[in-house]
Amino acid sequence: MHIQSIKFRLIFATKAQKQLDLLSPKDRKTYDKAFECFANNGPTYRSLRTHRYHCKDGEIWSSSASMAKRFYWHYMEEQRIIITHLDSH
């Protein structure tokens, strides 16, 4: 039996890209690692700790890049995901 992995194409919204550009190299590396894992394995990969939130505009999902770093996203068509923004606490 052959298991096919589904790869996702990540698209970064302007806000998310600006936030990434302002990060320190260390923080950027943390997010880049999470995005690579996310694109290759999808949001169900356990270490990403993905959650769905309902908001007035529909649904938004969040996943973890680390314990204190999260990114928020929406599903689009055909394995495309848009990363809307980042958050750290």
Side-chain angles (χ1 to χ4, degrees), residues 10-23 28 31-32 35 70-73 81-87:
L10 304 184
I11 300 166
F12 295 88
T14 304
K15 181 178 181 177
Q17 189 60 57
K18 286 180 183 178
Q19 289 177 303
L20 285 168
D21 292 343
L22 295 173
L23 292 174
R28 179 62 190 248
Y31 276 104
D32 286 346
F35 293 142
R70 300 191 68 70
F71 55 95
Y72 296 84
W73 52 274
I81 291 175
I82 185 162
I83 309 295
T84 58
H85 62 286
L86 314 176
D87 185 26

Side-chain angles (χ1 to χ4, degrees), residues 39-52:
N40 290 330
N41 300 296
T44 58
Y45 191 72
R46 290 191 64 174
S47 70
L48 292 171
R49 297 183 307 281
T50 298
H51 301 282
R52 178 176 54 183

Side-chain angles (χ1 to χ4, degrees), residues 33-82:
K33 223 170 145 180
F35 293 142
E36 181 181 356
C37 180
F38 189 66
N40 290 330
N41 300 296
T44 58
Y45 191 72
R46 290 191 64 174
S47 70
L48 292 171
R49 297 183 307 281
T50 298
H51 301 282
R52 178 176 54 183
Y53 300 97
H54 297 281
C55 56
K56 62 182 176 184
D57 298 333
E59 294 179 337
I60 190 163
W61 294 77
S62 73
S63 297
S64 296
S66 72
M67 289 299 286
K69 295 173 178 50
R70 300 191 68 70
F71 55 95
Y72 296 84
W73 52 274
H74 293 282
Y75 279 110
M76 297 178 73
E77 69 280 346
E78 298 182 22
Q79 288 93 24
R80 289 181 16 185
I81 291 175
I82 185 162

